[in-house]
Amino acid sequence: MKIPVLEIFGPTFQGEGAVIGQKTMFVRTAGCDYQCSWCDSKFTWDGSQKENIRMMTAEDIFASLDALAKDNYSHVTISGGNPLLLKNLSDFVEKAKSKNIRLAVETQGTMYQDWLQMIDDVTISPKPPSSGMVTDYGKLEHIFAKLDESGTSYNLKVVIFDDADFEYAADLHRKYRDVAFYLQVGNPYLDGESVDNHTEKLLSRYEDLVDRTMNDKRMNEVRVLPQLHTLLWSNKQGV
C-alpha cells in the first residue's frame, strides 16, 4: 500500500515541541482533516501542490531518505497535514524501528492508528480558538487511553496567538495535569517565503508569551517554546 508523500527533506532539526533541536529528517504526508486559519502547511490540504504528491511505498521513502543523507540520520519526523489519517503508514513505521530509527509525530488529536504506539516522540497538539477548529475531547481522550494502555509516552502542545488561545491552553492543562505540556508562540506572518524582520517579530511575541506564562500560577509546570526553524529560515519550505 502506498503513502501520499508531499516532500522528504533533511537533514535539518526539529523546530517545535518536546524534541526541539533534534537533528532529524522529515517525511511530510498529504491530507488533513482540519483547515486551521493560520496553518503554515496549507499546501498539504488545499490542493495548491497536488502535483507534487508522490504515492510511495515504505521502501521508496527510505530510498529517498538515504539518497539525501545516507548514514547521516537516525531520527525521522513524520509530518503533515495529519499523518494519523493514514493507516498504511504502519509498514514504514515498522521498517524504521527495524533499522533502529527513532520516530516523531505531531497530530491534533482527532485520529488514532495502532502504529502510533511505535512512535518514540508523540506530540498531540489540539488547536485553540484562533484556528477556527473545535476540540473533540472524546476523540482526544480516546487517543490518550490507547497510548496509556500501551505505555507510549506523549505530550501536549498548544500554539498561542491571542488571549483566548492562552485561556484554552490553561484549561487544557488543568484537565490533563499529568501530561507534559508545552506552549508555543504562533507565527501570524505567513505572507511569503521570507518576511522582513521576521526573527525580531517572532522573538517579541515569544517574549510576551514567556512573560504572561511566568506571571500565571496556573502555568507553573508548562514549558514555553519558540519556533526555531522559523527564527532561522522564516517561512521557507523544505528546511
Side-chain angles (χ1 to χ4, degrees):
M1 296 178 68
K2 295 188 176 182
I3 300 159
V5 177
L6 254 174
E7 56 180 354
I8 296 173
F9 60 93
T12 182
F13 69 96
Q14 177 56 258
E16 305 180 353
V19 288
I20 192 168
Q22 168 70 55
K23 180 179 176 180
T24 190
M25 302 292 287
F26 272 84
V27 175
R28 188 184 299 280
T29 61
C32 193
D33 51 323
Y34 268 16
Q35 296 183 3
C36 296
S37 62
W38 37 252
C39 179
D40 59 3
S41 305
K42 285 185 179 181
F43 59 89
T44 63
W45 51 264
D46 67 3
S48 62
Q49 294 192 25
K50 61 183 179 182
E51 71 279 1
N52 294 329
I53 297 173
R54 292 175 288 167
M55 299 304 297
M56 305 179 74
T57 64
E59 290 80 6
D60 294 334
I61 295 172
F62 277 111
S64 292
L65 290 167
D66 288 343
L68 288 170
K70 188 171 178 60
D71 301 324
N72 192 27
Y73 71 95
S74 58
H75 189 279
V76 174
T77 299
I78 306 170
S79 186
N82 184 7
L84 268 297
L85 292 170
L86 303 172
K87 182 177 181 179
N88 58 348
L89 265 169
S90 58
D91 189 35
F92 173 75
V93 171
E94 289 169 1
K95 284 182 169 57
K97 302 317 296 177
S98 73
K99 296 173 181 286
N100 294 316
I101 293 171
R102 290 181 61 84
L103 295 172
V105 165
E106 180 173 322
T107 179
Q108 61 261 42
T110 57
M111 306 287 292
Y112 173 80
Q113 303 291 349
D114 285 339
W115 57 257
L116 194 61
Q117 296 182 9
M118 292 184 280
I119 302 298
D120 301 284
D121 305 311
V122 177
T123 295
I124 300 173
S125 184
K127 304 311 177 189
S130 63
S131 70
M133 302 294 105
V134 177
T135 300
D136 185 325
Y137 287 96
K139 290 180 178 178
L140 188 64
E141 290 172 4
H142 170 70
I143 296 170
F144 291 169
K146 297 294 284 187
L147 294 178
D148 287 339
E149 183 180 292
S150 65
T152 305
S153 63
Y154 57 93
N155 65 86
L156 280 165
K157 187 192 81 176
V158 178
V159 180
I160 305 297
F161 283 85
D162 56 29
D163 292 347
D165 289 355
F166 190 88
E167 290 304 312
Y168 167 89
D171 187 59
L172 193 72
H173 184 43
R174 178 188 60 79
K175 283 184 170 75
Y176 309 112
R177 179 66 66 178
D178 293 334
V179 181
F181 201 93
Y182 296 82
L183 299 182
Q184 181 177 294
V185 67
N187 172 21
Y189 314 110
L190 298 173
D191 188 18
E193 184 174 270
S194 182
V195 176
D196 289 343
N197 301 313
H198 204 181
T199 297
E200 291 79 4
K201 290 175 180 176
L202 290 174
L203 284 175
S204 177
R205 292 177 62 84
Y206 180 52
E207 184 177 9
D208 289 344
L209 181 57
V210 167
D211 289 343
R212 178 162 190 172
T213 305
M214 287 193 303
N215 290 308
D216 193 317
K217 63 184 180 181
R218 297 173 298 175
M219 299 300 206
N220 289 350
E221 299 172 11
V222 167
R223 300 179 187 181
V224 188
L225 303 177
Q227 273 192 323
L228 285 184
H229 59 289
T230 314
L231 296 179
L232 285 174
W233 298 308
S234 195
N235 298 323
K236 186 177 180 181
Q237 187 178 336
V239 292

